Amino acid sequence: MTPPRAHRPLATAAAWLLICVLATVALILTTPAWGKTLWLIAAAAALSTAVQYARRAR
């Protein structure tokens, strides 16, 4: 059995930042106000998670 790969917090943070960017683009392109609210919450959560992973990487 091969050992598990080492966790890379910076790569994980970069992935969450990408998700944040995609959620922000969806926020801009969504017309209804309730849709904008949902995408804003998703973008904020993704950004928060990315910051947490970036802090762990230091």
Side-chain angles (χ1 to χ4, degrees):
M1 184 190 296
T2 59
R5 295 176 69 187
H7 182 71
R8 297 182 182 167
L10 282 180
T12 305
W16 278 106
L17 280 175
L18 177 63
I19 293 170
C20 179
V21 168
L22 292 175
T24 303
V25 169
L27 167 72
I28 292 168
L29 298 177
T30 304
T31 302
W34 61 267
K36 289 184 184 289
T37 303
L38 291 178
W39 285 116
L40 181 63
I41 292 168
L47 182 60
S48 171
T49 305
V51 168
Q52 288 175 1
Y53 274 103
R55 284 184 181 163
R56 289 182 196 162
R58 287 199 274 161

